[in-house]
Amino acid sequence: MSRIDLMRAFVALGEIGSYRAAAERLGITQPTLTKQIVRLEDILGRQLFLRSRQGTELTEFGRAYLSEVQPLIHEADRVWDLGLRMASGDTGRLAIGFTFSALEVMSHALLAFRQTYPGVELTFDDISSQSQLPMLRENRLDIALARWPGPGDLASRLVARDRLALAYPAELAGVITSIDSPALRSQPFIRLKQAIAPGFEGVVQRFLDWKGITPGSTHRVNESLVQLRMVEAGFGVALMHASSVARIIDPARIVVREIPSPPQGPVLDWQTGLYWRRDDRDPVVKAFLRIAREAIPALPEG
C-alpha cells in the first residue's frame, strides 16, 4: 500500500463524506478503504475523521490536511491521464517540414489529423528538401514532405507529383499567350533565393536555359507567397509550383499556365514523398501516418 494510495483514499473520502461512495470512486471495497484510512491515521498520529450515525466528517486537522493533499492528488491524476493520452497519441508535439509542392497534400493530412487529435501541438515549416531529410534524421523534424525519391535509410511513400507553371499579371494576358511569347523575355523574373529552394530553382534554370531566356533583371525573394504578391503587383513574372499556385491565386489578377516536360527537352516536373524515421515509435507520429494514409493515398511510382 503506497503513500499515494493512502492519500488518494483520504481525498476521496474527504471530498465525498461517504465510505460507500468513496470506495466506488476508487474501485475498492469499503473494508479496504477503512483499512487505508486507519493506516494513514496511524502514520500521522492524528484523527482525520469523526464517525457517527449521521455520517463521516473531517476533523479540524483533517480539513487542514485535506487542503494540502488535494492539489497533489489532482495533479497526480492529471499527469496520469496525460501519460495515457500521450501514449495513445492524443497529445504531444509533431514537427513537419514541407516544400511548396506539398502544400495541398499536407493541408489535407493536417486537417484530418487535427479533427481526430486536437490536443497535439503542430509546427510546420516551409523548408527545402535538401535540408529536411538531415533534420528528420537528427530528430529536429518528425515528418518530412520532400523531393522523391529519397535515401533508403528513411521510410517513405510517394504522395504528389508537380510541374512548373508560369504566373504573370492578368494585364499582360494580351501580350503573353504562351511560354514562347516574345514579350516574356523582356519581363523581370521573380525567383526564390537559391539557398531557399535549390532543387526547385534548378528546374527553373533548366527551363530558362532550354528557352534561351536571360532575364534583364531578377528579383530574389524568400517565399513563394511573396513571389505571387509581387506578380500580382506587376513587378514581373514567376515560374512556380503548378499544384499549389492555381488554387490560391485570383484569376482576375494573375494568369497561370502549366508547363509540361517536353518530349525532347529538360525534365520540368518532379515528385514529392512523405518521409519518416523507420524506427520512430512516437505514438503521435504513428497516429499522423495512419491519418495521412487515408487523407493522401500513396501514388504509384513511375
Side-chain angles (χ1 to χ4, degrees), residues 8 69-81:
R8 180 172 280 109
V69 178
Q70 270 180 319
L72 172 65
I73 296 302
H74 292 165
E75 179 64 11
D77 290 341
R78 185 194 69 80
V79 173
W80 179 264
D81 291 340

Side-chain angles (χ1 to χ4, degrees), residues 40-152:
L40 183 58
E41 289 180 328
D42 289 343
I43 293 172
L44 295 173
R46 298 290 297 271
Q47 187 175 3
L48 295 169
F49 296 95
L50 297 173
R51 302 165 183 85
S52 67
R53 293 182 179 180
Q54 285 71 38
T56 302
E57 295 182 4
L58 286 161
T59 63
E60 183 177 349
F61 174 79
R63 285 193 296 272
Y65 189 53
L66 181 64
S67 66
E68 296 294 331
V69 178
Q70 270 180 319
L72 172 65
I73 296 302
H74 292 165
E75 179 64 11
D77 290 341
R78 185 194 69 80
V79 173
W80 179 264
D81 291 340
L82 176 62
L84 294 176
R85 295 200 307 275
M86 290 177 66
S88 65
D90 286 343
T91 188
R93 297 179 180 178
L94 190 69
I96 301 174
F98 69 97
T99 63
F100 203 64
S101 291
L103 183 60
E104 185 173 358
V105 294
M106 184 194 69
S107 298
H108 286 312
L110 286 180
L111 286 173
F113 183 75
R114 173 60 74 189
Q115 290 175 352
T116 309
Y117 297 96
V120 174
E121 177 184 335
L122 298 172
T123 62
F124 33 96
D125 295 291
D126 186 355
I127 306 171
S128 71
S129 297
Q130 189 175 21
S131 299
Q132 282 190 62
L133 301 186
M135 293 174 68
L136 185 60
R137 294 190 187 94
E138 296 164 5
N139 294 308
R140 293 158 59 196
L141 288 177
D142 300 305
I143 297 291
L145 287 155
R147 286 293 184 90
W148 173 282

